[in-house]
Amino acid sequence: MKRQDAHVAKAQYLDLAARRLFNIESRRELPDIINFRDVRSSWKEYRLELLNHISGLHCGPNRVEIIEHPKDPISVRPLARFEIRDRLTYETIVAEIASTVDPLISENVFSYRANRSQMHSVDDWLEWRVQARKILEINPRLTMAKTDVASFYENIDIDILRLDLAQSGTDELLLIQLHYFLQRFQQQSHAWGLPQGSSASGVLSNIYLAPLDEYIRQSGVQHVRYSDDTYLFGENWEQLRSSLTGANQALRARRLTISAKKTEIFTRSKSLEHLDDSSRDQISYLYYRGAPHAKKLLSELFSDAINRHPIKERDVNFSLTRFRRKRDATAVHWALDNLKELHHLSDQILRYAERLPRHGEDLTNTLESTVLDFDLVDYPYLERNILHSALRRPIRSKILKDYAWHLLRDKNRPNYPREFAARYIGSYPDIADGPLLRMQYEAESSEPVQRATLVALYECNYLPRHLLENISNSTSDLRWTARYLLRGPVVPLPA
């Protein structure tokens, strides 16, 4: 009976993980080329197979691709891209663990809480900052420090994590499964610690930082934390410095260290200024109310942000989002002119430009000139966003098609932009593309790129039914894609 109850519980956590992945996570940093529609269309069968897989002790990832996701013009963070089966396995194991560990996490922690349908959201981030401001406003004697952890996820020690989870009361079977998964993750990639790009890792990181939360509490200062970003509140510089020094010692015991570049003790006035969102809050309210001078205030905020050195990216993001919603072309020329230099903001820039029909030619010219004028071999995120934008708009371009073929054929490039290249070719086929795609499919060694090429062949109307039937009856994970395409669907664009 206990075994049956455990299987039912596992199914519930799998369903929760699937809802998050299909409805929320798929729209984040690593969108799927068909929004996981192949797995979703066969979910009943897929779910049964996956439940059997997750019931075993050794259910580690089969293959991991590390995506270098830009944080700013220079630095990147390594996002782990799993196969769908492995992603759902990880999310399910951690969802079950979260039911035990989340109640043990301090209420001062605002990120990755298990009782939310979306564990990583802008609303929670905003609430973290609102709470910080409230603490300062309630006690006029307080000032603030900020800090975070250097290379946080990469430096989490999975053996220490296992001890933490065991102490929290996590079931031994889950501990074995998680530890095996994380060991395999490190063996299958050039990454270490916890996989980045999944909210499940955020849940585990909270338990890993629980000793930090407790140390800060015991040191006599208040704090609020979002992931590893922490605000501390004390009455003077010495008190905050002492707490930060002790916090760094507590982190070193966890194989972590404070980021010196991102640690600062503010004066009282600078603390309030750091948390001051009043101008953005006012603009948001006025835009919502349709006030005529909202545009002028937003334009001034944007102008001030881009004339700083370096530019004030938070205000640029804020402005582009509001301009996009109102189809306001104020920033479009600046944004497109700086697409390459601001490649880490390319998704926001391109989605903004796409909402301005009058600037369709400007958008097309920018995409074409970017692939012609620059060597993008070290900019896979920008490459993917260019093709993604051309799919959404839609833009049929010989220049972009030639570039997509160049990408698809280069097996030394990351899979991710190659998949979007295949999707672009299939969406705007010419007479020769079908045969060439079939040749590419047969020579391709990467299963994710094969999947994308299979979809492209389908959209080219150059995919024999007998080939799909053979694949659908195989043991390859491509069988789910083949079964989906055999139904003759209109394949959705990536979100």
Side-chain angles (χ1 to χ4, degrees), residues 192-205:
W192 52 93
L194 294 182
Q196 297 193 56
S198 166
S199 293
S201 293
V203 173
L204 298 176
S205 72

Side-chain angles (χ1 to χ4, degrees), residues 441-467:
Y441 173 80
E442 292 171 350
E444 184 57 55
S445 57
S446 164
E447 193 167 274
V449 179
Q450 278 187 313
R451 175 174 174 254
T453 309
L454 202 62
V455 173
L457 280 165
Y458 170 82
E459 293 189 303
C460 282
N461 197 26
Y462 203 80
L463 186 57
R465 186 174 183 86
H466 70 82
L467 175 60

Side-chain angles (χ1 to χ4, degrees), residues 344-494:
H344 59 300
L345 302 181
S346 55
D347 186 57
Q348 297 95 306
I349 289 172
L350 294 174
R351 288 181 187 271
Y352 164 49
E354 290 164 29
R355 292 294 299 273
L356 305 170
R358 290 188 178 182
H359 293 271
E361 186 176 348
D362 294 329
L363 175 60
T364 300
N365 290 340
T366 297
L367 299 184
E368 292 180 340
S369 63
T370 302
V371 302
L372 287 174
D373 298 344
F374 299 104
D375 182 357
L376 300 181
V377 67
D378 293 323
Y379 297 85
Y381 178 71
L382 177 57
E383 288 178 319
R384 189 265 285 176
N385 285 332
I386 286 172
L387 294 170
H388 199 170
S389 180
L391 283 165
R392 285 190 305 257
R393 181 68 180 118
I395 297 171
R396 183 170 190 144
S397 161
K398 183 68 167 60
I399 292 172
L400 295 180
K401 172 79 77 64
D402 288 346
Y403 193 78
W405 270 116
H406 166 73
L407 259 180
L408 181 58
R409 288 178 173 138
D410 189 348
K411 296 183 181 180
N412 292 319
R413 304 294 281 278
N415 286 339
Y416 203 38
R418 295 180 66 217
E419 292 170 50
F420 276 80
R423 191 73 210 274
Y424 182 79
I425 294 165
S427 296
Y428 307 110
D430 294 312
I431 190 169
D433 287 322
L436 291 174
L437 281 167
R438 177 66 182 271
M439 183 173 68
Q440 183 69 31
Y441 173 80
E442 292 171 350
E444 184 57 55
S445 57
S446 164
E447 193 167 274
V449 179
Q450 278 187 313
R451 175 174 174 254
T453 309
L454 202 62
V455 173
L457 280 165
Y458 170 82
E459 293 189 303
C460 282
N461 197 26
Y462 203 80
L463 186 57
R465 186 174 183 86
H466 70 82
L467 175 60
L468 281 180
E469 289 173 344
N470 289 340
I471 298 170
S472 71
N473 292 321
S474 72
T475 58
S476 164
D477 281 346
L478 290 175
R479 68 188 185 278
W480 306 109
T481 309
R483 291 173 190 179
Y484 168 63
L485 297 177
L486 280 169
R487 298 185 176 100
V490 176
V491 183
L493 292 175

